Amino acid sequence: FPIDDRFRVRLPPPPPTNFEWIIQAFCGLSKAKLRMKDYDGALTAAYKACHLSRGRDPTCWEVVAQICQECNNAPREMEALRNIFTLQEVLEGEDLPRDVANRRRMQGFRLAKLERDVSA
């Protein structure tokens, strides 16, 4: 069946290619701050990476989800995980490497658990 374009998720245009390095730098900064237990700084850096990627880089959302899981912020973690799966649906044609596919499977389990906990 053809998909009606009114129901497709529309993404903003991809970031300029020369932004990749700074997006990865902010992701790295957020992981470093997370290890130092600076949750606010880690979340700020991760959201900057998401902003620079225009929300199109699942890696940025993975970092946000990891930070939120670490600091027990279930609503934001669920939002980040849902963004990952929304992007995966939109970018469906890409074959995922095995390690990424395994991470997505674990993230799917985590999202299901959070949704069960919220509804309970």
Side-chain angles (χ1 to χ4, degrees):
F1 294 98
I3 298 175
D4 190 345
D5 282 339
R6 293 176 296 163
F7 299 108
R8 284 189 182 215
V9 175
R10 288 182 177 68
L11 292 176
T17 55
N18 56 350
F19 273 34
E20 288 299 318
W21 71 271
I22 197 162
I23 293 168
Q24 294 306 314
F26 273 113
C27 285
L29 176 63
S30 65
K31 289 177 184 179
K33 288 184 178 276
L34 178 61
R35 285 189 168 203
M36 294 185 303
K37 305 291 187 204
D38 178 7
Y39 299 121
D40 291 334
L43 212 49
T44 299
Y47 276 123
K48 282 184 183 178
C50 290
H51 176 73
L52 288 171
S53 74
R54 297 181 179 164
R56 292 180 58 120
D57 189 345
T59 307
C60 299
W61 292 113
E62 285 181 22
V63 174
V64 171
Q66 182 182 7
I67 295 164
C68 292
Q69 181 179 5
E70 188 82 20
C71 63
N72 298 319
N73 189 338
R76 280 191 175 176
E77 182 183 359
M78 282 181 22
E79 175 190 2
L81 291 170
R82 285 181 180 141
N83 286 335
I84 291 169
F85 288 108
T86 300
L87 284 172
Q88 183 177 335
E89 288 174 13
V90 172
L91 305 173
E92 187 172 278
E94 296 181 12
D95 286 334
L96 295 175
R98 186 179 306 253
D99 63 325
V100 176
N102 285 336
R103 275 200 321 267
R104 292 291 182 278
R105 186 172 57 85
M106 297 304 292
Q107 290 163 346
F109 292 147
R110 178 70 183 161
L111 180 59
K113 180 187 180 306
L114 288 170
E115 289 173 341
R116 272 194 318 270
D117 291 348
V118 167
S119 65

